[in-house]
Amino acid sequence: MNNYFSNNQQAESLVREFLDLSLEAKQFTHEAHLTVAIWYLQWYPLDKATNLVRDNIRQFNVAKGGKNTDSEGYHETITVFYMHTVQQFLATQTTPTNLAHLANTLINSEMGQRDYFLQFYSKARLFSAEARRKFVEADL
């Protein structure tokens, strides 16, 4: 297994820096997104966690000089898809463990891969302005 985090302090620090907007934009990778999703889903039910992630990603993008438009920044369908995916992953974890272990396990699983959503969505549908603005159902 390839570990993204070598200890739990690193994972918790990433989440803290994301939340206080001190994380560098280039550090908010796919793996970091998944880690933030795990953290939220450990504290909140899916709907509330998704709302918080949505708001925080939009805020983070703007704080880092980015925009949330039909062609860049926040993507609703990908966010909702991965929030459900992370929730499914967490439901399979039978023993309590820390954030770093959960993140490393998810990142190294099929569900945690950067292009996992392409098993369910065509590129045309997923990368449409509509899918960026609002959740669209999978088409594959």
mmCIF file with all atom_site columns, all heavy atoms in Angstrom, residues 32-55:
data_model
loop_
_atom_site.group_PDB
_atom_site.id
_atom_site.type_symbol
_atom_site.label_atom_id
_atom_site.label_alt_id
_atom_site.label_comp_id
_atom_site.label_asym_id
_atom_site.label_entity_id
_atom_site.label_seq_id
_atom_site.pdbx_PDB_ins_code
_atom_site.Cartn_x
_atom_site.Cartn_y
_atom_site.Cartn_z
_atom_site.occupancy
_atom_site.B_iso_or_equiv
_atom_site.pdbx_formal_charge
_atom_site.auth_seq_id
_atom_site.auth_comp_id
_atom_site.auth_asym_id
_atom_site.auth_atom_id
_atom_site.pdbx_PDB_model_num
ATOM 1   N N   . ALA A 1 32 ? -6.460  14.863 -1.091 1.00 0.00 ? 32 ALA A N   1
ATOM 2   C CA  . ALA A 1 32 ? -6.851  15.795 -0.022 1.00 0.00 ? 32 ALA A CA  1
ATOM 3   C C   . ALA A 1 32 ? -8.364  15.956 0.019  1.00 0.00 ? 32 ALA A C   1
ATOM 4   O O   . ALA A 1 32 ? -8.953  16.001 1.106  1.00 0.00 ? 32 ALA A O   1
ATOM 5   C CB  . ALA A 1 32 ? -6.168  17.144 -0.229 1.00 0.00 ? 32 ALA A CB  1
ATOM 6   N N   . HIS A 1 33 ? -8.989  16.039 -1.149 1.00 0.00 ? 33 HIS A N   1
ATOM 7   C CA  . HIS A 1 33 ? -10.457 16.116 -1.200 1.00 0.00 ? 33 HIS A CA  1
ATOM 8   C C   . HIS A 1 33 ? -11.071 14.908 -0.484 1.00 0.00 ? 33 HIS A C   1
ATOM 9   O O   . HIS A 1 33 ? -12.015 15.053 0.293  1.00 0.00 ? 33 HIS A O   1
ATOM 10  C CB  . HIS A 1 33 ? -10.953 16.123 -2.655 1.00 0.00 ? 33 HIS A CB  1
ATOM 11  C CG  . HIS A 1 33 ? -10.908 17.435 -3.352 1.00 0.00 ? 33 HIS A CG  1
ATOM 12  N ND1 . HIS A 1 33 ? -9.749  17.992 -3.821 1.00 0.00 ? 33 HIS A ND1 1
ATOM 13  C CD2 . HIS A 1 33 ? -11.903 18.288 -3.701 1.00 0.00 ? 33 HIS A CD2 1
ATOM 14  C CE1 . HIS A 1 33 ? -10.023 19.135 -4.426 1.00 0.00 ? 33 HIS A CE1 1
ATOM 15  N NE2 . HIS A 1 33 ? -11.331 19.346 -4.358 1.00 0.00 ? 33 HIS A NE2 1
ATOM 16  N N   . LEU A 1 34 ? -10.554 13.718 -0.773 1.00 0.00 ? 34 LEU A N   1
ATOM 17  C CA  . LEU A 1 34 ? -11.093 12.507 -0.150 1.00 0.00 ? 34 LEU A CA  1
ATOM 18  C C   . LEU A 1 34 ? -10.900 12.532 1.364  1.00 0.00 ? 34 LEU A C   1
ATOM 19  O O   . LEU A 1 34 ? -11.792 12.128 2.116  1.00 0.00 ? 34 LEU A O   1
ATOM 20  C CB  . LEU A 1 34 ? -10.425 11.259 -0.738 1.00 0.00 ? 34 LEU A CB  1
ATOM 21  C CG  . LEU A 1 34 ? -10.720 10.963 -2.203 1.00 0.00 ? 34 LEU A CG  1
ATOM 22  C CD1 . LEU A 1 34 ? -9.927  9.744  -2.663 1.00 0.00 ? 34 LEU A CD1 1
ATOM 23  C CD2 . LEU A 1 34 ? -12.207 10.771 -2.463 1.00 0.00 ? 34 LEU A CD2 1
ATOM 24  N N   . THR A 1 35 ? -9.757  13.021 1.804  1.00 0.00 ? 35 THR A N   1
ATOM 25  C CA  . THR A 1 35 ? -9.474  13.097 3.231  1.00 0.00 ? 35 THR A CA  1
ATOM 26  C C   . THR A 1 35 ? -10.453 14.041 3.924  1.00 0.00 ? 35 THR A C   1
ATOM 27  O O   . THR A 1 35 ? -10.988 13.731 4.992  1.00 0.00 ? 35 THR A O   1
ATOM 28  C CB  . THR A 1 35 ? -8.021  13.551 3.464  1.00 0.00 ? 35 THR A CB  1
ATOM 29  O OG1 . THR A 1 35 ? -7.145  12.639 2.762  1.00 0.00 ? 35 THR A OG1 1
ATOM 30  C CG2 . THR A 1 35 ? -7.674  13.581 4.943  1.00 0.00 ? 35 THR A CG2 1
ATOM 31  N N   . VAL A 1 36 ? -10.709 15.171 3.311  1.00 0.00 ? 36 VAL A N   1
ATOM 32  C CA  . VAL A 1 36 ? -11.679 16.130 3.850  1.00 0.00 ? 36 VAL A CA  1
ATOM 33  C C   . VAL A 1 36 ? -13.068 15.497 3.892  1.00 0.00 ? 36 VAL A C   1
ATOM 34  O O   . VAL A 1 36 ? -13.798 15.640 4.883  1.00 0.00 ? 36 VAL A O   1
ATOM 35  C CB  . VAL A 1 36 ? -11.669 17.440 3.027  1.00 0.00 ? 36 VAL A CB  1
ATOM 36  C CG1 . VAL A 1 36 ? -12.866 18.317 3.354  1.00 0.00 ? 36 VAL A CG1 1
ATOM 37  C CG2 . VAL A 1 36 ? -10.359 18.199 3.267  1.00 0.00 ? 36 VAL A CG2 1
ATOM 38  N N   . ALA A 1 37 ? -13.429 14.767 2.858  1.00 0.00 ? 37 ALA A N   1
ATOM 39  C CA  . ALA A 1 37 ? -14.736 14.095 2.835  1.00 0.00 ? 37 ALA A CA  1
ATOM 40  C C   . ALA A 1 37 ? -14.849 13.094 3.977  1.00 0.00 ? 37 ALA A C   1
ATOM 41  O O   . ALA A 1 37 ? -15.882 13.035 4.663  1.00 0.00 ? 37 ALA A O   1
ATOM 42  C CB  . ALA A 1 37 ? -14.947 13.407 1.490  1.00 0.00 ? 37 ALA A CB  1
ATOM 43  N N   . ILE A 1 38 ? -13.808 12.306 4.199  1.00 0.00 ? 38 ILE A N   1
ATOM 44  C CA  . ILE A 1 38 ? -13.820 11.343 5.313  1.00 0.00 ? 38 ILE A CA  1
ATOM 45  C C   . ILE A 1 38 ? -14.025 12.083 6.626  1.00 0.00 ? 38 ILE A C   1
ATOM 46  O O   . ILE A 1 38 ? -14.852 11.697 7.453  1.00 0.00 ? 38 ILE A O   1
ATOM 47  C CB  . ILE A 1 38 ? -12.508 10.525 5.356  1.00 0.00 ? 38 ILE A CB  1
ATOM 48  C CG1 . ILE A 1 38 ? -12.420 9.574  4.166  1.00 0.00 ? 38 ILE A CG1 1
ATOM 49  C CG2 . ILE A 1 38 ? -12.407 9.746  6.672  1.00 0.00 ? 38 ILE A CG2 1
ATOM 50  C CD1 . ILE A 1 38 ? -11.039 8.953  3.975  1.00 0.00 ? 38 ILE A CD1 1
ATOM 51  N N   . TRP A 1 39 ? -13.254 13.148 6.822  1.00 0.00 ? 39 TRP A N   1
ATOM 52  C CA  . TRP A 1 39 ? -13.343 13.902 8.071  1.00 0.00 ? 39 TRP A CA  1
ATOM 53  C C   . TRP A 1 39 ? -14.774 14.389 8.316  1.00 0.00 ? 39 TRP A C   1
ATOM 54  O O   . TRP A 1 39 ? -15.327 14.197 9.400  1.00 0.00 ? 39 TRP A O   1
ATOM 55  C CB  . TRP A 1 39 ? -12.361 15.078 8.053  1.00 0.00 ? 39 TRP A CB  1
ATOM 56  C CG  . TRP A 1 39 ? -12.329 15.804 9.351  1.00 0.00 ? 39 TRP A CG  1
ATOM 57  C CD1 . TRP A 1 39 ? -11.581 15.487 10.454 1.00 0.00 ? 39 TRP A CD1 1
ATOM 58  C CD2 . TRP A 1 39 ? -13.113 16.943 9.707  1.00 0.00 ? 39 TRP A CD2 1
ATOM 59  N NE1 . TRP A 1 39 ? -11.860 16.387 11.468 1.00 0.00 ? 39 TRP A NE1 1
ATOM 60  C CE2 . TRP A 1 39 ? -12.788 17.286 11.035 1.00 0.00 ? 39 TRP A CE2 1
ATOM 61  C CE3 . TRP A 1 39 ? -14.055 17.716 9.034  1.00 0.00 ? 39 TRP A CE3 1
ATOM 62  C CZ2 . TRP A 1 39 ? -13.366 18.362 11.706 1.00 0.00 ? 39 TRP A CZ2 1
ATOM 63  C CZ3 . TRP A 1 39 ? -14.628 18.792 9.690  1.00 0.00 ? 39 TRP A CZ3 1
ATOM 64  C CH2 . TRP A 1 39 ? -14.286 19.101 11.011 1.00 0.00 ? 39 TRP A CH2 1
ATOM 65  N N   . TYR A 1 40 ? -15.371 15.002 7.310  1.00 0.00 ? 40 TYR A N   1
ATOM 66  C CA  . TYR A 1 40 ? -16.742 15.509 7.467  1.00 0.00 ? 40 TYR A CA  1
ATOM 67  C C   . TYR A 1 40 ? -17.732 14.378 7.758  1.00 0.00 ? 40 TYR A C   1
ATOM 68  O O   . TYR A 1 40 ? -18.620 14.525 8.586  1.00 0.00 ? 40 TYR A O   1
ATOM 69  C CB  . TYR A 1 40 ? -17.184 16.277 6.228  1.00 0.00 ? 40 TYR A CB  1
ATOM 70  C CG  . TYR A 1 40 ? -16.828 17.733 6.269  1.00 0.00 ? 40 TYR A CG  1
ATOM 71  C CD1 . TYR A 1 40 ? -15.834 18.252 5.456  1.00 0.00 ? 40 TYR A CD1 1
ATOM 72  C CD2 . TYR A 1 40 ? -17.484 18.614 7.137  1.00 0.00 ? 40 TYR A CD2 1
ATOM 73  C CE1 . TYR A 1 40 ? -15.502 19.593 5.504  1.00 0.00 ? 40 TYR A CE1 1
ATOM 74  C CE2 . TYR A 1 40 ? -17.156 19.951 7.189  1.00 0.00 ? 40 TYR A CE2 1
ATOM 75  C CZ  . TYR A 1 40 ? -16.171 20.433 6.371  1.00 0.00 ? 40 TYR A CZ  1
ATOM 76  O OH  . TYR A 1 40 ? -15.845 21.766 6.429  1.00 0.00 ? 40 TYR A OH  1
ATOM 77  N N   . LEU A 1 41 ? -17.577 13.268 7.049  1.00 0.00 ? 41 LEU A N   1
ATOM 78  C CA  . LEU A 1 41 ? -18.527 12.171 7.220  1.00 0.00 ? 41 LEU A CA  1
ATOM 79  C C   . LEU A 1 41 ? -18.341 11.445 8.552  1.00 0.00 ? 41 LEU A C   1
ATOM 80  O O   . LEU A 1 41 ? -19.242 10.731 9.000  1.00 0.00 ? 41 LEU A O   1
ATOM 81  C CB  . LEU A 1 41 ? -18.436 11.197 6.044  1.00 0.00 ? 41 LEU A CB  1
ATOM 82  C CG  . LEU A 1 41 ? -19.052 11.757 4.762  1.00 0.00 ? 41 LEU A CG  1
ATOM 83  C CD1 . LEU A 1 41 ? -18.619 10.948 3.551  1.00 0.00 ? 41 LEU A CD1 1
ATOM 84  C CD2 . LEU A 1 41 ? -20.579 11.810 4.876  1.00 0.00 ? 41 LEU A CD2 1
ATOM 85  N N   . GLN A 1 42 ? -17.221 11.642 9.199  1.00 0.00 ? 42 GLN A N   1
ATOM 86  C CA  . GLN A 1 42 ? -17.052 11.090 10.543 1.00 0.00 ? 42 GLN A CA  1
ATOM 87  C C   . GLN A 1 42 ? -17.800 11.933 11.574 1.00 0.00 ? 42 GLN A C   1
ATOM 88  O O   . GLN A 1 42 ? -18.096 11.450 12.660 1.00 0.00 ? 42 GLN A O   1
ATOM 89  C CB  . GLN A 1 42 ? -15.565 11.027 10.910 1.00 0.00 ? 42 GLN A CB  1
ATOM 90  C CG  . GLN A 1 42 ? -14.818 9.940  10.177 1.00 0.00 ? 42 GLN A CG  1
ATOM 91  C CD  . GLN A 1 42 ? -13.370 9.890  10.622 1.00 0.00 ? 42 GLN A CD  1
ATOM 92  O OE1 . GLN A 1 42 ? -12.648 10.870 10.588 1.00 0.00 ? 42 GLN A OE1 1
ATOM 93  N NE2 . GLN A 1 42 ? -12.956 8.711  11.055 1.00 0.00 ? 42 GLN A NE2 1
ATOM 94  N N   . TRP A 1 43 ? -18.082 13.185 11.262 1.00 0.00 ? 43 TRP A N   1
ATOM 95  C CA  . TRP A 1 43 ? -18.708 14.104 12.204 1.00 0.00 ? 43 TRP A CA  1
ATOM 96  C C   . TRP A 1 43 ? -20.169 14.413 11.897 1.00 0.00 ? 43 TRP A C   1
ATOM 97  O O   . TRP A 1 43 ? -20.916 14.792 12.792 1.00 0.00 ? 43 TRP A O   1
ATOM 98  C CB  . TRP A 1 43 ? -17.931 15.421 12.249 1.00 0.00 ? 43 TRP A CB  1
ATOM 99  C CG  . TRP A 1 43 ? -16.596 15.265 12.881 1.00 0.00 ? 43 TRP A CG  1
ATOM 100 C CD1 . TRP A 1 43 ? -15.389 15.147 12.249 1.00 0.00 ? 43 TRP A CD1 1
ATOM 101 C CD2 . TRP A 1 43 ? -16.311 15.178 14.276 1.00 0.00 ? 43 TRP A CD2 1
ATOM 102 N NE1 . TRP A 1 43 ? -14.383 14.994 13.161 1.00 0.00 ? 43 TRP A NE1 1
ATOM 103 C CE2 . TRP A 1 43 ? -14.923 15.017 14.425 1.00 0.00 ? 43 TRP A CE2 1
ATOM 104 C CE3 . TRP A 1 43 ? -17.101 15.220 15.422 1.00 0.00 ? 43 TRP A CE3 1
ATOM 105 C CZ2 . TRP A 1 43 ? -14.312 14.903 15.667 1.00 0.00 ? 43 TRP A CZ2 1
ATOM 106 C CZ3 . TRP A 1 43 ? -16.482 15.109 16.651 1.00 0.00 ? 43 TRP A CZ3 1
ATOM 107 C CH2 . TRP A 1 43 ? -15.106 14.953 16.766 1.00 0.00 ? 43 TRP A CH2 1
ATOM 108 N N   . TYR A 1 44 ? -20.566 14.313 10.631 1.00 0.00 ? 44 TYR A N   1
ATOM 109 C CA  . TYR A 1 44 ? -21.897 14.758 10.214 1.00 0.00 ? 44 TYR A CA  1
ATOM 110 C C   . TYR A 1 44 ? -22.582 13.716 9.338  1.00 0.00 ? 44 TYR A C   1
ATOM 111 O O   . TYR A 1 44 ? -21.917 12.964 8.633  1.00 0.00 ? 44 TYR A O   1
ATOM 112 C CB  . TYR A 1 44 ? -21.797 16.062 9.413  1.00 0.00 ? 44 TYR A CB  1
ATOM 113 C CG  . TYR A 1 44 ? -21.155 17.201 10.153 1.00 0.00 ? 44 TYR A CG  1
ATOM 114 C CD1 . TYR A 1 44 ? -19.831 17.551 9.915  1.00 0.00 ? 44 TYR A CD1 1
ATOM 115 C CD2 . TYR A 1 44 ? -21.868 17.930 11.104 1.00 0.00 ? 44 TYR A CD2 1
ATOM 116 C CE1 . TYR A 1 44 ? -19.226 18.604 10.599 1.00 0.00 ? 44 TYR A CE1 1
ATOM 117 C CE2 . TYR A 1 44 ? -21.272 18.981 11.798 1.00 0.00 ? 44 TYR A CE2 1
ATOM 118 C CZ  . TYR A 1 44 ? -19.954 19.305 11.536 1.00 0.00 ? 44 TYR A CZ  1
ATOM 119 O OH  . TYR A 1 44 ? -19.368 20.338 12.215 1.00 0.00 ? 44 TYR A OH  1
ATOM 120 N N   . PRO A 1 45 ? -23.908 13.727 9.328  1.00 0.00 ? 45 PRO A N   1
ATOM 121 C CA  . PRO A 1 45 ? -24.631 12.874 8.376  1.00 0.00 ? 45 PRO A CA  1
ATOM 122 C C   . PRO A 1 45 ? -24.357 13.352 6.937  1.00 0.00 ? 45 PRO A C   1
ATOM 123 O O   . PRO A 1 45 ? -23.939 14.501 6.725  1.00 0.00 ? 45 PRO A O   1
ATOM 124 C CB  . PRO A 1 45 ? -26.100 13.054 8.749  1.00 0.00 ? 45 PRO A CB  1
ATOM 125 C CG  . PRO A 1 45 ? -26.173 14.176 9.719  1.00 0.00 ? 45 PRO A CG  1
ATOM 126 C CD  . PRO A 1 45 ? -24.797 14.501 10.184 1.00 0.00 ? 45 PRO A CD  1
ATOM 127 N N   . LEU A 1 46 ? -24.620 12.491 5.987  1.00 0.00 ? 46 LEU A N   1
ATOM 128 C CA  . LEU A 1 46 ? -24.270 12.739 4.588  1.00 0.00 ? 46 LEU A CA  1
ATOM 129 C C   . LEU A 1 46 ? -24.755 14.094 4.072  1.00 0.00 ? 46 LEU A C   1
ATOM 130 O O   . LEU A 1 46 ? -23.973 14.846 3.471  1.00 0.00 ? 46 LEU A O   1
ATOM 131 C CB  . LEU A 1 46 ? -24.806 11.614 3.693  1.00 0.00 ? 46 LEU A CB  1
ATOM 132 C CG  . LEU A 1 46 ? -24.551 11.781 2.194  1.00 0.00 ? 46 LEU A CG  1
ATOM 133 C CD1 . LEU A 1 46 ? -23.063 11.811 1.880  1.00 0.00 ? 46 LEU A CD1 1
ATOM 134 C CD2 . LEU A 1 46 ? -25.247 10.672 1.423  1.00 0.00 ? 46 LEU A CD2 1
ATOM 135 N N   . ASP A 1 47 ? -26.022 14.429 4.275  1.00 0.00 ? 47 ASP A N   1
ATOM 136 C CA  . ASP A 1 47 ? -26.557 15.687 3.727  1.00 0.00 ? 47 ASP A CA  1
ATOM 137 C C   . ASP A 1 47 ? -25.830 16.905 4.283  1.00 0.00 ? 47 ASP A C   1
ATOM 138 O O   . ASP A 1 47 ? -25.428 17.795 3.544  1.00 0.00 ? 47 ASP A O   1
ATOM 139 C CB  . ASP A 1 47 ? -28.058 15.813 3.985  1.00 0.00 ? 47 ASP A CB  1
ATOM 140 C CG  . ASP A 1 47 ? -28.876 14.847 3.143  1.00 0.00 ? 47 ASP A CG  1
ATOM 141 O OD1 . ASP A 1 47 ? -28.323 14.258 2.189  1.00 0.00 ? 47 ASP A OD1 1
ATOM 142 O OD2 . ASP A 1 47 ? -30.067 14.679 3.443  1.00 0.00 ? 47 ASP A OD2 1
ATOM 143 N N   . LYS A 1 48 ? -25.651 16.929 5.593  1.00 0.00 ? 48 LYS A N   1
ATOM 144 C CA  . LYS A 1 48 ? -24.966 18.067 6.228  1.00 0.00 ? 48 LYS A CA  1
ATOM 145 C C   . LYS A 1 48 ? -23.497 18.105 5.820  1.00 0.00 ? 48 LYS A C   1
ATOM 146 O O   . LYS A 1 48 ? -22.957 19.177 5.517  1.00 0.00 ? 48 LYS A O   1
ATOM 147 C CB  . LYS A 1 48 ? -25.098 18.005 7.742  1.00 0.00 ? 48 LYS A CB  1
ATOM 148 C CG  . LYS A 1 48 ? -24.311 19.092 8.455  1.00 0.00 ? 48 LYS A CG  1
ATOM 149 C CD  . LYS A 1 48 ? -25.132 19.788 9.483  1.00 0.00 ? 48 LYS A CD  1
ATOM 150 C CE  . LYS A 1 48 ? -24.324 20.834 10.224 1.00 0.00 ? 48 LYS A CE  1
ATOM 151 N NZ  . LYS A 1 48 ? -24.584 22.163 9.825  1.00 0.00 ? 48 LYS A NZ  1
ATOM 152 N N   . ALA A 1 49 ? -22.847 16.947 5.794  1.00 0.00 ? 49 ALA A N   1
ATOM 153 C CA  . ALA A 1 49 ? -21.440 16.882 5.387  1.00 0.00 ? 49 ALA A CA  1
ATOM 154 C C   . ALA A 1 49 ? -21.270 17.382 3.955  1.00 0.00 ? 49 ALA A C   1
ATOM 155 O O   . ALA A 1 49 ? -20.343 18.148 3.662  1.00 0.00 ? 49 ALA A O   1
ATOM 156 C CB  . ALA A 1 49 ? -20.922 15.451 5.521  1.00 0.00 ? 49 ALA A CB  1
ATOM 157 N N   . THR A 1 50 ? -22.170 16.985 3.078  1.00 0.00 ? 50 THR A N   1
ATOM 158 C CA  . THR A 1 50 ? -22.091 17.418 1.675  1.00 0.00 ? 50 THR A CA  1
ATOM 159 C C   . THR A 1 50 ? -22.271 18.932 1.577  1.00 0.00 ? 50 THR A C   1
ATOM 160 O O   . THR A 1 50 ? -21.536 19.595 0.837  1.00 0.00 ? 50 THR A O   1
ATOM 161 C CB  . THR A 1 50 ? -23.136 16.675 0.817  1.00 0.00 ? 50 THR A CB  1
ATOM 162 O OG1 . THR A 1 50 ? -22.888 15.262 0.929  1.00 0.00 ? 50 THR A OG1 1
ATOM 163 C CG2 . THR A 1 50 ? -23.055 17.094 -0.640 1.00 0.00 ? 50 THR A CG2 1
ATOM 164 N N   . ASN A 1 51 ? -23.233 19.472 2.307  1.00 0.00 ? 51 ASN A N   1
ATOM 165 C CA  . ASN A 1 51 ? -23.430 20.928 2.294  1.00 0.00 ? 51 ASN A CA  1
ATOM 166 C C   . ASN A 1 51 ? -22.187 21.662 2.785  1.00 0.00 ? 51 ASN A C   1
ATOM 167 O O   . ASN A 1 51 ? -21.790 22.676 2.208  1.00 0.00 ? 51 ASN A O   1
ATOM 168 C CB  . ASN A 1 51 ? -24.636 21.320 3.144  1.00 0.00 ? 51 ASN A CB  1
ATOM 169 C CG  . ASN A 1 51 ? -25.946 20.970 2.486  1.00 0.00 ? 51 ASN A CG  1
ATOM 170 O OD1 . ASN A 1 51 ? -26.037 20.838 1.276  1.00 0.00 ? 51 ASN A OD1 1
ATOM 171 N ND2 . ASN A 1 51 ? -26.975 20.800 3.299  1.00 0.00 ? 51 ASN A ND2 1
ATOM 172 N N   . LEU A 1 52 ? -21.569 21.170 3.836  1.00 0.00 ? 52 LEU A N   1
ATOM 173 C CA  . LEU A 1 52 ? -20.375 21.808 4.379  1.00 0.00 ? 52 LEU A CA  1
ATOM 174 C C   . LEU A 1 52 ? -19.194 21.707 3.410  1.00 0.00 ? 52 LEU A C   1
ATOM 175 O O   . LEU A 1 52 ? -18.475 22.684 3.194  1.00 0.00 ? 52 LEU A O   1
ATOM 176 C CB  . LEU A 1 52 ? -20.014 21.196 5.736  1.00 0.00 ? 52 LEU A CB  1
ATOM 177 C CG  . LEU A 1 52 ? -20.982 21.539 6.862  1.00 0.00 ? 52 LEU A CG  1
ATOM 178 C CD1 . LEU A 1 52 ? -20.749 20.639 8.078  1.00 0.00 ? 52 LEU A CD1 1
ATOM 179 C CD2 . LEU A 1 52 ? -20.860 23.007 7.245  1.00 0.00 ? 52 LEU A CD2 1
ATOM 180 N N   . VAL A 1 53 ? -19.013 20.535 2.821  1.00 0.00 ? 53 VAL A N   1
ATOM 181 C CA  . VAL A 1 53 ? -17.929 20.358 1.842  1.00 0.00 ? 53 VAL A CA  1
ATOM 182 C C   . VAL A 1 53 ? -18.151 21.292 0.658  1.00 0.00 ? 53 VAL A C   1
ATOM 183 O O   . VAL A 1 53 ? -17.222 21.965 0.197  1.00 0.00 ? 53 VAL A O   1
ATOM 184 C CB  . VAL A 1 53 ? -17.826 18.878 1.391  1.00 0.00 ? 53 VAL A CB  1
ATOM 185 C CG1 . VAL A 1 53 ? -16.977 18.735 0.146  1.00 0.00 ? 53 VAL A CG1 1
ATOM 186 C CG2 . VAL A 1 53 ? -17.263 18.025 2.520  1.00 0.00 ? 53 VAL A CG2 1
ATOM 187 N N   . ARG A 1 54 ? -19.356 21.326 0.156  1.00 0.00 ? 54 ARG A N   1
ATOM 188 C CA  . ARG A 1 54 ? -19.702 22.201 -0.976 1.00 0.00 ? 54 ARG A CA  1
ATOM 189 C C   . ARG A 1 54 ? -19.314 23.649 -0.664 1.00 0.00 ? 54 ARG A C   1
ATOM 190 O O   . ARG A 1 54 ? -18.617 24.298 -1.434 1.00 0.00 ? 54 ARG A O   1
ATOM 191 C CB  . ARG A 1 54 ? -21.200 22.092 -1.267 1.00 0.00 ? 54 ARG A CB  1
ATOM 192 C CG  . ARG A 1 54 ? -21.723 23.008 -2.353 1.00 0.00 ? 54 ARG A CG  1
ATOM 193 C CD  . ARG A 1 54 ? -23.241 22.932 -2.478 1.00 0.00 ? 54 ARG A CD  1
ATOM 194 N NE  . ARG A 1 54 ? -23.678 21.597 -2.866 1.00 0.00 ? 54 ARG A NE  1
ATOM 195 C CZ  . ARG A 1 54 ? -24.467 20.808 -2.110 1.00 0.00 ? 54 ARG A CZ  1
ATOM 196 N NH1 . ARG A 1 54 ? -24.915 21.218 -0.928 1.00 0.00 ? 54 ARG A NH1 1
ATOM 197 N NH2 . ARG A 1 54 ? -24.825 19.620 -2.550 1.00 0.00 ? 54 ARG A NH2 1
ATOM 198 N N   . ASP A 1 55 ? -19.786 24.146 0.469  1.00 0.00 ? 55 ASP A N   1
ATOM 199 C CA  . ASP A 1 55 ? -19.508 25.532 0.848  1.00 0.00 ? 55 ASP A CA  1
ATOM 200 C C   . ASP A 1 55 ? -18.020 25.779 1.046  1.00 0.00 ? 55 ASP A C   1
ATOM 201 O O   . ASP A 1 55 ? -17.485 26.805 0.610  1.00 0.00 ? 55 ASP A O   1
ATOM 202 C CB  . ASP A 1 55 ? -20.256 25.892 2.131  1.00 0.00 ? 55 ASP A CB  1
ATOM 203 C CG  . ASP A 1 55 ? -21.768 25.947 1.933  1.00 0.00 ? 55 ASP A CG  1
ATOM 204 O OD1 . ASP A 1 55 ? -22.239 25.971 0.771  1.00 0.00 ? 55 ASP A OD1 1
ATOM 205 O OD2 . ASP A 1 55 ? -22.488 25.955 2.954  1.00 0.00 ? 55 ASP A OD2 1
#
